Amino acid sequence: MFRTALRNLLAHKTRLMMTALAVLLGTAFVSGTLVFSDSVGGAYRDRLSKSLDDVAVSVTAGGPRTDPKEQATALDDAMVKRIAALPGVASVRPSVNGMPMIADRHGDPVGGDWGSDGANYVPGKDGKDSRYPLVKGRGPAAEGEIALDAKTAGKAGVTLGGTVRLAVDGPVVEKKLVGVVTTDNPRVSAGAGLALFDTATAQKLFGKPGEFTELVVSAAPRTDQSALTAKVRAMLPKTFEARSGQELAATQAKMIDEQTSSIRKTLLIFAGISLFVGVFIIANTFTMLIAQRTREIALLRAVGASRRQVVRSVLIEAGLLGLIASALGFVLGIGVATGLHPVLNATGASLPDGPLVITPSAVLSALGVGVVVTVLAAWLPSRKAARIAPVEALASVEAAPAVRSLVLRNSLGAALTALGVGVMLYVTRFKDSGGINYAMAGSALTLTGLIVLAPLLSRPLVRLFGRLAIRLHGVSGKLARENALRNPRRTAATASALMIGLTLITGLTVGAVSADRGMSTMGAPDMTADYKVSSTSYLGLSPEIARTLAGQPGVAAAVPLRSVGFQADGNPGMVTATDVTALGRVLDVSVVGGSLAGVRGTTAVAVSDKFAKEHRLTVGSTLPMAFYDGKKAAPRVVAVYKDTALLSSALAAPALVDPHQEKVRDSQVLVKAAPGKAGDLAEKIKETLGKNPLIKVQSQDDLRRHDAGSIDDILYLMYGLLGMAVVIAVVGVVNTLAMSVFERTREIGMLRAIGLDRREVKRMVRLESVMIAMFGAVLGVGAGVFLAWSTGHLLRSSFPQYEMVVPWGRIAVFLLLALAVGVLAAVWPARRAAKLDTLEAIGAQ
């Protein structure tokens, strides 16, 4: 039976080619995902291990303090000397880290949203810093000097001796490039920039004079890291944190695994969809092959082959096909893994460069998945082959499907579809993500029900398309309709592959367009200012920016907002500070109690109605505030305002907030244009601020589009990932038509003999393909719109602006693409049918 399976595989290699292509594409997606995620993880780990080579212990300030009673501390030269004096310590490297924004030729930040890593250059006895090996020039040694890594220098368009423009939390500063370095920093290798300064300059830019961000302790030879870490930890104040290099490596390795795991899971979901679509093609192909080989199977049964042996023969054939296609798919998957890197980086993923990592588990997984999927898809056709009685098979080339089986299938499909639709209607009663599990189950049931019910649904839809075809093309249209209706199961299986892809694409499109429309209504609805000026860095803006803008022509008001965290009765909150007398010029604040005019000095605040309700505050109440610098305040509540996006829990005068900021910074500046000056004010603001890469100037429309812009990027990425499923579905249409032409060879010969010319034969096959494609498209678009509508209700509480929008233009494009798929898929089968010799075709068995 093995030899029989091998002979069948070689005998029908042309007819199995498209099936092999479907398996190949699906496994290529799987193997590409596995190789890609392993390669990204390996690149991160390689960079990480190199960057932590000399780190025995890392000492940091431990992050923001949660207990206001804790005394403020700092890492300084005294602490460096104390740690350096410990036994086992070889050296202590004091580091100062921050995030400067380096401008490129156009004034945009190098590194995009990632920004750039800033650090101090710490020269050793030889005048060089071993952490940042020099490629050209020397390390920075004065305030006006800077060193960059090679990639950052290239992006900024500056060469040795040139001027680098950058900003940290204020105006643009210019420094001379004196050195170019290399680094193993994983963030830099993933796309961020790197800027190095002398220690004094780095402290001035990123912190306070004499203070460091981190102390990196190197151990003497044969010193135990854990023991040294314990010694360092024992001598530190509670607010400091000491971690060994091994702990840092383990923590960051875990983060890397989580990041790569999420990428892997997402891509594998789409790979699974592609393989699921491929199941229909594989099952369809083997069903048609078995129907064409009934005489052969009958002879095997007649000479003694058992049903089990027939099943085994078909499954061996499927296994061999799956193995060959999976092996080729794995090779193609290596190319997919290579291509995924620049594609995802183009969407902002910022993944590090590194060699491809091909693990045995990736190879075995890809081959195993391909073989298992192919064998499982061929299992039902193999059982059908085993049930063929020798006498019946010898008497008939192809038996008609049993009416009973179709009745049972239609009944099961109707039940599953009704159950799925019922669950999705139940989902519409939810207002939050609590119904997500029901939505997933309902979507799966609805799609499964439609797949099972597809043979029944194909009749009315194909007849509808057939009427149009007959009206336009006469006899060819009628023949195409009858061919599509002849075997509804085959038509349904072929169309279902396309339906699944279009259901997902349509659902994603409706959801994304609806979310985009909702986002466009959000922005900052209470903002009456024309522009919001903010920083691309978490450090905020220098107060000088607001003062500079306030004096510019065309600016009616420039109101800065700054904030600081506090605790009230053990719960965290944020207080925003501004000049309340000018606030009304840039923000529409709805006061529900008291008066904002009383917000002044350090003794009065206003609170949002939401915060007031949570803490049971009213006008006249005292708000206990415990700041994170250890200080406290108890101002009186003089007003309650309606909660708004631009103001936090409380509103106060700068006198209350400024003393609790390490360095006074504004989070944003709201700018109101003078009458008739709003049009070109954005460019003037950028010019005034020296085209600062740190600064973002956004109009109200920009704010509304900000979040919506990422939706389109994600949607197009999803289109690309789902495109593989659609390609496999197209392969299925081609395969079905080609095999259908083969089994109808004699019939086509008869049609040619009674007067149907080659052009009409081509048209007949083409119209049949279009009907199948349009049937799948209509079913997919309808299902996608329904699932998007019902699932959208889950966003009503978290996204009240969401309102379903059906993008009729895009849906029309999807239908036109389905029409094009039908036409293109029929090109080869139609030409093959038209080229059949009439006499040979009539004599075919």
Side-chain angles (χ1 to χ4, degrees), residues 434-701:
I436 187 64
N437 291 331
Y438 290 104
M440 293 173 64
S443 299
L445 284 170
T446 303
L447 269 179
T448 303
L450 288 175
I451 291 169
V452 177
L453 199 59
L456 178 64
L457 297 175
S458 68
R459 292 186 180 276
L461 287 175
V462 171
R463 287 187 186 279
L464 179 64
F465 297 136
R467 287 180 184 177
L468 180 61
I470 293 171
R471 182 172 298 179
L472 294 175
H473 301 288
V475 174
S476 296
K478 185 174 182 179
L479 290 171
R481 184 189 67 179
E482 296 306 314
N483 288 335
L485 290 172
R486 179 182 305 181
N487 193 329
R489 293 193 197 182
R490 183 184 302 169
T491 298
T494 307
S496 293
L498 187 60
M499 180 200 75
I500 294 168
L502 281 177
T503 297
L504 297 173
I505 288 174
T506 302
L508 285 171
T509 301
V510 172
V513 171
S514 301
D516 184 71
R517 184 71 59 85
M519 288 286 187
S520 67
T521 64
M522 289 177 65
D526 301 318
M527 191 177 85
T528 58
D530 295 292
Y531 296 98
K532 185 178 87 167
V533 180
S534 59
S535 172
T536 56
S537 165
Y538 67 91
L539 295 173
L541 302 169
S542 167
E544 183 63 30
I545 289 177
R547 290 192 288 267
T548 300
L549 293 177
Q552 293 303 307
V555 174
V559 180
L561 303 179
R562 63 188 62 146
S563 58
V564 72
F566 69 95
Q567 286 191 347
D569 299 325
N571 297 314
M574 291 289 291
V575 55
T576 298
T578 189
D579 180 2
V580 178
T581 59
L583 185 62
R585 304 181 68 182
V586 295
L587 192 64
D588 184 13
V589 183
S590 178
V591 179
V592 296
S595 173
L596 293 180
V599 178
R600 56 180 178 270
T602 60
T603 59
V605 294
V607 295
S608 71
D609 54 353
K610 182 179 179 181
F611 186 81
K613 183 178 180 181
E614 291 173 350
H615 294 269
R616 299 179 181 179
L617 298 172
T618 59
V619 175
S621 300
T622 298
L623 174 61
M625 305 176 75
F627 295 96
Y628 292 111
D629 59 359
K631 299 176 183 178
K632 295 183 178 181
R636 187 169 62 90
V637 176
V638 297
V640 178
Y641 55 88
K642 190 175 181 180
D643 191 57
T644 179
L646 289 176
L647 298 180
S648 47
S649 312
L651 177 64
L656 178 63
V657 169
D658 291 357
H660 306 291
Q661 288 189 318
E662 290 186 8
K663 189 174 183 179
V664 177
R665 292 183 176 90
D666 296 327
S667 57
Q668 54 198 306
V669 178
L670 303 182
V671 179
K672 181 69 174 179
K677 301 294 184 180
D680 60 349
L681 187 58
E683 287 302 318
K684 290 182 178 179
I685 291 174
K686 293 177 183 178
E687 291 288 344
T688 300
L689 299 178
K691 291 189 176 180
N692 193 322
L694 185 74
I695 305 300
K696 288 192 296 185
V697 181
Q698 296 168 292
S699 66
Q700 294 197 34
D701 287 340

Side-chain angles (χ1 to χ4, degrees), residues 210-426:
E211 294 185 5
F212 305 103
T213 309
E214 179 186 19
L215 302 182
V216 177
V217 181
S218 297
R222 295 183 296 278
T223 300
D224 182 76
Q225 265 195 24
S226 299
L228 182 58
T229 303
K231 291 179 184 178
V232 174
R233 190 176 289 141
M235 61 162 291
L236 292 174
K238 291 183 180 180
T239 52
F240 287 165
E241 182 179 10
R243 290 185 294 174
S244 68
Q246 295 167 344
E247 288 178 282
L248 285 173
T251 300
Q252 295 192 36
K254 184 178 179 181
M255 291 174 60
I256 291 169
D257 287 338
E258 290 174 354
Q259 291 173 351
T260 55
S261 175
S262 62
I263 295 174
R264 176 186 294 213
K265 288 177 181 177
T266 301
L267 294 176
L268 283 177
I269 288 172
F270 289 95
I273 292 170
S274 299
L275 284 171
F276 183 63
V277 170
V279 166
F280 291 91
I281 300 170
I282 299 165
N284 225 14
T285 301
F286 277 94
T287 299
M288 295 175 75
L289 281 175
I290 286 166
Q292 295 167 18
R293 284 161 37 193
T294 48
R295 287 182 180 272
E296 177 187 323
I297 294 171
L299 287 173
L300 288 173
R301 294 292 313 281
V303 298
S306 66
R307 290 187 174 186
R308 181 176 297 179
Q309 287 177 312
V310 172
V311 171
R312 192 181 304 153
S313 173
V314 175
L315 294 183
I316 289 173
E317 185 178 343
L320 291 172
L321 175 69
L323 183 62
I324 295 169
S326 298
L328 295 174
F330 184 81
V331 175
L332 179 62
I334 295 175
V336 172
T338 304
L340 275 173
H341 193 283
V343 168
L344 292 180
N345 273 350
T347 63
S350 296
L351 302 171
D353 296 326
L356 285 177
V357 177
I358 302 175
T359 62
S361 61
V363 178
L364 295 175
S365 297
L367 296 179
V369 166
V371 172
V372 168
V373 166
T374 309
V375 170
L376 287 178
W379 182 71
L380 285 177
S382 72
R383 290 183 60 83
K384 180 181 177 181
R387 287 197 298 267
I388 297 174
V391 174
E392 293 177 359
L394 291 170
S396 174
V397 176
E398 183 179 2
V403 175
R404 177 179 173 80
S405 65
L406 284 175
V407 171
L408 288 174
R409 175 171 177 159
N410 293 340
S411 300
L412 177 61
L416 288 173
T417 304
L419 181 59
V421 171
V423 172
M424 296 310 294
L425 292 176
Y426 175 68

Side-chain angles (χ1 to χ4, degrees), residues 96-175:
V96 183
N97 302 309
M99 186 181 288
M101 287 292 173
I102 300 169
D104 62 15
R105 299 181 184 91
H106 308 290
D108 297 322
V110 172
D113 292 338
W114 281 68
S116 300
D117 277 0
N120 58 323
Y121 188 85
V122 184
K125 294 180 180 179
D126 60 353
K128 298 179 180 178
D129 189 337
S130 59
R131 175 166 286 195
Y132 304 107
L134 283 165
V135 177
K136 298 177 183 178
R138 58 176 177 81
E143 184 174 358
E145 297 178 345
I146 188 174
L148 302 175
D149 73 291
K151 284 186 178 180
T152 303
K155 292 176 182 177
V158 61
T159 56
L160 207 64
T163 300
V164 178
R165 301 176 67 254
L166 70 139
V168 177
D169 64 347
V172 171
V173 295
E174 296 183 348
K175 296 187 181 295

